[in-house]
Amino acid sequence: RRDGKSACLNAPLPGRRLIVVRPRRTWVRYGIVSATTCWTCRKAVYGLRVAPRAWGVHRDLRIREFRWIVDETAYMMKQCRMDTQVWLIIIVGDPSTILGLLICYVDDMLLMMKDGKVQAELSKALGRLWKMSTEVKLETGKMFSFLGLELERTA
């Protein structure tokens, strides 16, 4: 399991929208900024209604284009048609062999596949693509939480 750090801050705003925001009232009250201060957003920021959608579109585009190579074999992820938050991990040119799944929800990612070179290189490559939290592996007898679910490996 990994989380994208500041995910929404990495997403471009949709279309050619001009979004102007004001500072929080508490910032003005404490003298951090003046009451007349306004900022123009260049990218999505937390609190904007469009931010989660902008991040999702951006994330999916990047994953769709994403490739990595291990021992001269190229791998990619293919978006599941039944659930667009699920990505199939496959060999480029061989969509029938599913090596694992990546489940995304906003900036939370759950990678389900066997340990090994392909998994390790995928994890490293995702870390180069986006700033990510430390990877948490599901190990026998240890639990972790994903989207409010407590997961535990029993075998």
Side-chain angles (χ1 to χ4, degrees), residues 28-144:
V28 173
R29 190 175 22 203
Y30 290 116
I32 297 170
V33 295
S34 82
T36 59
T37 300
C38 291
W39 295 291
T40 302
C41 296
R42 294 187 183 159
K43 291 193 174 194
V45 294
Y46 286 107
L48 288 178
R49 255 186 266 169
V50 299
R53 171 97 174 112
W55 164 249
V57 168
H58 174 71
R59 178 202 61 214
D60 290 355
L61 177 65
R62 297 298 302 266
I63 292 175
R64 203 172 287 116
E65 297 170 342
F66 190 69
R67 305 285 184 276
W68 72 103
I69 298 173
V70 177
D71 297 332
E72 299 181 22
T73 301
Y75 299 88
M76 64 181 282
M77 289 182 269
K78 181 180 175 194
Q79 197 169 27
C80 183
R81 288 191 319 217
M82 299 299 283
D83 186 341
T84 59
Q85 303 305 302
V86 176
W87 294 83
L88 310 174
I89 300 163
I90 60 173
I91 296 171
V92 173
D94 183 12
S96 64
T97 304
I98 299 170
L99 304 172
L101 300 173
L102 178 72
I103 299 172
C104 299
Y105 182 78
V106 188
D107 62 347
D108 291 328
M109 297 181 184
L110 179 66
L111 177 61
M112 297 185 297
M113 67 185 299
K114 288 183 180 182
D115 272 338
K117 280 178 141 180
V118 176
Q119 180 275 329
E121 288 303 315
L122 169 56
S123 195
K124 278 193 239 174
L126 284 171
R128 287 190 298 271
L129 189 60
W130 295 301
K131 187 174 181 178
M132 307 285 277
S133 67
T134 303
E135 183 175 10
V136 177
K137 291 192 177 195
L138 185 57
E139 297 173 359
T140 304
K142 293 184 180 176
M143 294 179 72
F144 74 74

